[in-house]
Amino acid sequence: MDIKALADSILSNIEKVIYGKPNQIRLIIAALLARGHILLDDIPGTGKTSLAKSLAVSISGDVKRIQFTPDLLPSDVTGINFFNQKESDFVFRPGPIFANVVIADEINRTTPRTQSALLEAMEERQVTIDGVTYPLAEPFIVIATQNPIESQGTFPLPEAQIDRFFMKLSLGYPDFKSGKAILTGHVTDSPLKRLEAVCGVSDILNAQKQVRDIHSSDRINDYIVKIAVATRESERIRLGVSPRASLALLHAAQSWAAISGRDYIIPDDVKAVATPVLAHRIISASQSSLRVTEAAENIIDYIVDSVPVAVE
């Protein structure tokens, strides 16, 4: 299977709905092929939910949307055993987590107890209910959204939850050309309604297996580890990245190389995905005070540029 051609077709399809954001779409495709989850941190109305739905339609996947609210219970996410009077026995009713693409809208509006219902699902791709473990669908990706400018009535995600997200992305405002295209494309109805699939879930599963075979040399592995160590030793960072983050960076670079048409990783692949993979996993030194917080993205960009790459 040509992974580059597959990724290009998905990208072109999603761009019929989401205008002017090719790099963000490519990163989401890379996360999907690397079996990772996405946190979309952006203001309302930028197309976060439409992007997630477009991805699900493009791969012929089952999609479920969960609107997170303060009164949502863990069982509303994972499912529940209910007593069936006809069968005189308990029957499991699956929750919306049982889908290929799960849209977790405003994930920070629900309580930590309900947020934790996603931990096992995101990490182990299974849920355990009343002592019984149920495997989730494959492929499986959680695309969660949150509003960064509104804090009233929200429950900030704990570090353990944030670390489960493979990448953190922001779509941002469209430029003038894209903004005009949005108006033109929505004159009659949403282009999402006209969107059709370009591949099947089996194609994604095959591509995910091939991505893990992308070669990573000792030079690249050293580069990734040096970046991770630099985040732990930097005076600008209070909490550096974990070994899970190093693995995520490796798998993201593998996926980026694959959708770029190569079967091996080059340093530019690591640089292309480092910020969305690592920035949300660090705590900058300024975040512990009332001073203006230094952007984590800027810190990661600086570290990636300053860490030397060994010459083969």
Side-chain angles (χ1 to χ4, degrees):
M1 176 189 295
D2 188 339
I3 297 180
K4 182 179 185 301
L6 175 66
D8 288 345
S9 64
I10 297 174
L11 170 64
S12 299
N13 204 46
I14 295 177
E15 283 188 316
K16 296 176 182 178
V17 178
I18 306 297
Y19 303 96
K21 303 295 178 182
N23 190 60
Q24 289 92 330
I25 297 173
R26 282 175 63 86
L27 285 168
I28 288 181
I29 295 172
L32 172 65
L33 297 184
R35 305 180 82 241
H37 308 289
I38 297 289
L39 178 61
L40 293 177
D41 188 71
D42 216 333
I43 59 175
T46 52
K48 301 185 293 295
T49 304
S50 295
L51 174 56
K53 289 183 177 179
S54 300
L55 177 66
V57 172
S58 298
I59 66 173
S60 303
D62 182 27
V63 59
K64 297 287 178 62
R65 177 180 175 274
I66 309 171
Q67 180 62 55
F68 282 84
T69 56
D71 60 346
L72 197 73
L73 298 175
S75 58
D76 295 328
V77 176
T78 59
I80 191 172
N81 286 313
F82 73 98
F83 187 75
N84 189 317
Q85 292 184 343
K86 290 184 177 179
E87 299 181 10
S88 298
D89 197 4
F90 284 93
V91 178
F92 176 60
R93 178 180 294 161
I97 197 69
F98 288 86
N100 298 119
V101 179
V102 177
I103 304 171
D105 256 341
E106 297 184 295
I107 189 174
N108 59 331
R109 285 206 170 276
T110 195
T111 62
R113 178 188 178 194
T114 303
Q115 289 175 7
S116 65
L118 291 171
L119 290 175
E120 182 185 15
M122 293 174 66
E123 183 67 18
E124 302 175 41
R125 298 173 185 271
Q126 64 182 32
V127 293
T128 303
I129 301 168
D130 294 339
V132 179
T133 299
Y134 302 90
L136 296 175
E138 290 286 357
F140 173 70
I141 180 173
V142 173
I143 302 180
T145 71
Q146 65 176 10
N147 179 0
I149 63 172
E150 191 174 9
S151 58
Q152 187 174 4
T154 62
F155 302 85
L157 298 178
E159 296 305 319
Q161 180 78 61
I162 291 178
D163 201 38
R164 296 299 199 280
F165 285 102
F166 192 73
M167 291 183 186
K168 180 181 177 181
L169 301 173
S170 175
L171 294 179
Y173 289 120
D175 56 22
F176 178 82
K177 182 180 178 181
S178 300
K180 187 176 179 180
I182 292 173
L183 299 183
T184 304
H186 287 74
V187 170
T188 55
D189 59 4
S190 171
L192 182 59
K193 296 180 179 179
R194 303 187 296 270
L195 203 65
E196 297 180 355
V198 295
C199 68
V201 292
S202 59
D203 297 317
I204 300 300
L205 292 175
N206 290 332
Q208 287 177 340
K209 293 177 182 178
Q210 292 184 45
V211 162
R212 289 299 172 92
D213 292 330
I214 298 298
H215 178 66
S216 178
S217 65
D218 286 340
R219 179 178 70 138
I220 295 298
N221 291 340
D222 288 346
Y223 184 44
I224 291 174
V225 174
K226 286 178 181 177
I227 291 173
V229 171
T231 67
R232 301 162 193 162
E233 297 177 347
S234 173
E235 294 181 353
R236 302 163 68 183
I237 299 176
R238 184 157 56 96
L239 179 67
V241 301
S242 65
R244 181 192 283 124
S246 300
L247 285 171
L249 184 55
L250 169 63
H251 295 323
Q254 285 179 308
S255 189
W256 194 261
I259 66 178
S260 299
R262 279 178 277 100
D263 60 359
Y264 57 91
I265 301 174
I266 62 175
D268 284 347
D269 297 325
V270 179
K271 293 179 179 179
V273 298
T275 299
V277 169
L278 300 181
H280 63 290
R281 289 179 157 101
I282 68 169
I283 297 179
S284 66
S286 62
Q287 281 182 254
S288 60
S289 69
L290 295 179
R291 293 181 288 115
V292 176
T293 300
E294 182 177 13
E297 292 81 4
N298 295 338
I299 299 176
I300 295 299
D301 287 342
Y302 172 80
I303 288 176
V304 171
D305 290 338
S306 61
V307 172
V309 184
V311 179
E312 288 184 326

